[in-house]
């Protein structure tokens, strides 16, 4: 009896350990799919409101993604990014911010309301080799602490930005 | 005859001198009407596009003065003006720029077009004592050389801005 109990536990242990190993192996394999490796979180770009204002645009109700993009957005660039906008080559440390505010109209004048979110692009060739050297981040409303983009959303950011490879993956040109 | 010629010239001289004096007097009286004394021309605010972006607004067709004000405008402040926006007191050297661009819509997205004009406010208490210490200027399109406001238009600028005396005659508040 003591032997069969021991065998029973030994078998159970083998199954458990084997299971853990198999799960670990599967997780490791899964992790090899680069798409699913979360990138280093982008930090809140403190002080960006005093950077150079590049351009603005207004997204109205006729735009398909009005629900998430509606309002007025401004693009800001730090010094390194400003140089990149001019040259088309962005050095590490370049940061661009897309600042989306709500917009409300009264008697023909549309004025800015609450901040909806900011999107951030940070250039760091070593940290973000899979996406042209750019890390993508998002902070909702006035939140500065929680970067919320999922790896899938980050992929979507780059999916669109890679159309501008000839301009360092950045849509904006130099300020007017 | 020599006497009457002399008298003739003497009378003529009196008339001429009198005329000049009268004209001078009239000009002096006219000049006393402060409204008609042109202020010192405001200079083009070189580099303002790299100053801090304060806020933006959109003027649509429903606005009465759409023809002259229509489009998207951005307000920029230099360092001194930025401090003033926060304190409500603007030191000499403060400059604010209202930058008006055309705006065109396509599929719900309104993007910036050509610059329509810039309006400038420069604080210099000694130069502009009649208008709260502010000089007002305007440059059309991309012109940097010709400040075009008439004294009457400058008065209109201040006529409206004096409603914000409690905030140093400036409409904008601190950037969001």
């Amino acid at each position: 009896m003591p032997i069969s109990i021991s065998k029973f536990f030994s078998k159970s242990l083998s199954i458990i350990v084997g299971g853990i190993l198999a799960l670990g192996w599967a997780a490791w394999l899964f992790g090899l799919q680069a798409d699913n490796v979360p990138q280093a979180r982008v930090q809140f770009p403190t002080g960006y409101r005093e950077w150079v204002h590049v351009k603005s645009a207004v997204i109205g109700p006729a735009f398909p993604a009005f629900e998430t993009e509606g309002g007025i957005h401004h693009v800001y660039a730090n010094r390194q990014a400003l140089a990149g906008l001019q040259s088309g080559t962005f050095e590490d440390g370049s940061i661009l911010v897309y600042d989306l505010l709500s917009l409300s109209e009264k008697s023909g004048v549309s004025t800015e309301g609450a901040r909806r979110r900011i999107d951030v692009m940070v250039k760091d060739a070593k940290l973000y080799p899979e996406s042209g050297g750019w890390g993508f981040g998002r902070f909702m409303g006035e939140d500065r602490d929680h970067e919320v983009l999922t790896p899938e959303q980050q992929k979507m950011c780059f999916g669109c930005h890679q159309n501008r490879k000839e301009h360092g993956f950045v849509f904006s040109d130099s300020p007017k």
Side-chain angles (χ1 to χ4, degrees), chain A:
Chain A
M1 285 292 282
I3 293 165
S4 67
I5 287 170
S6 150
K7 270 189 181 170
F8 171 74
F9 277 110
S10 171
K11 271 198 177 175
S12 301
L13 198 65
S14 298
I15 291 166
I16 291 166
V17 170
I20 289 170
L21 285 174
L23 279 171
W25 178 250
W28 183 74
L29 267 179
F30 190 72
L32 278 185
Q33 310 294 314
D35 298 354
N36 297 296
V37 178
Q39 69 171 24
R41 288 272 176 208
V42 161
Q43 300 297 303
F44 186 87
T46 304
Y48 79 89
R49 276 299 280 106
E50 300 198 2
W51 296 351
V52 171
H53 169 236
V54 179
K55 68 172 184 180
S56 301
V58 175
I59 306 285
F63 187 71
F66 174 69
E67 201 174 320
T68 57
E69 302 303 317
I72 185 168
H73 62 253
H74 308 300
V75 176
Y76 299 97
N78 69 358
R79 287 282 145 194
Q80 296 97 310
L82 188 66
L85 292 173
Q86 282 147 5
S87 69
T89 307
F90 294 81
E91 65 178 51
D92 278 7
S94 297
I95 310 180
L96 289 150
V97 175
Y98 172 104
D99 191 358
L100 177 62
L101 307 173
S102 63
L103 196 67
S104 61
E105 191 265 350
K106 196 178 165 185
S107 307
V109 181
S110 298
T111 51
E112 298 174 343
R115 177 162 285 114
R116 299 193 64 188
R117 72 164 197 266
I118 69 165
D119 289 345
V120 188
M121 285 177 76
V122 178
K123 184 74 184 278
D124 187 322
K126 280 186 187 160
L127 267 183
Y128 310 112
E130 305 290 329
S131 47
W134 288 102
F136 297 90
R138 174 170 293 176
F139 297 84
M140 302 307 293
E142 297 295 339
D143 187 359
R144 295 172 167 234
D145 300 322
H146 305 94
E147 193 282 292
V148 300
L149 284 186
T150 64
E152 290 69 31
Q153 287 174 317
Q154 288 160 354
K155 270 186 66 187
M156 282 175 65
C157 294
F158 185 61
C160 205
H161 278 275
Q162 66 185 352
N163 294 319
R164 280 281 279 178
K165 188 175 180 183
E166 82 287 358
H167 189 56
F169 304 105
V170 171
F171 286 110
S172 295
D173 293 307
S174 289
K176 264 188 217 280

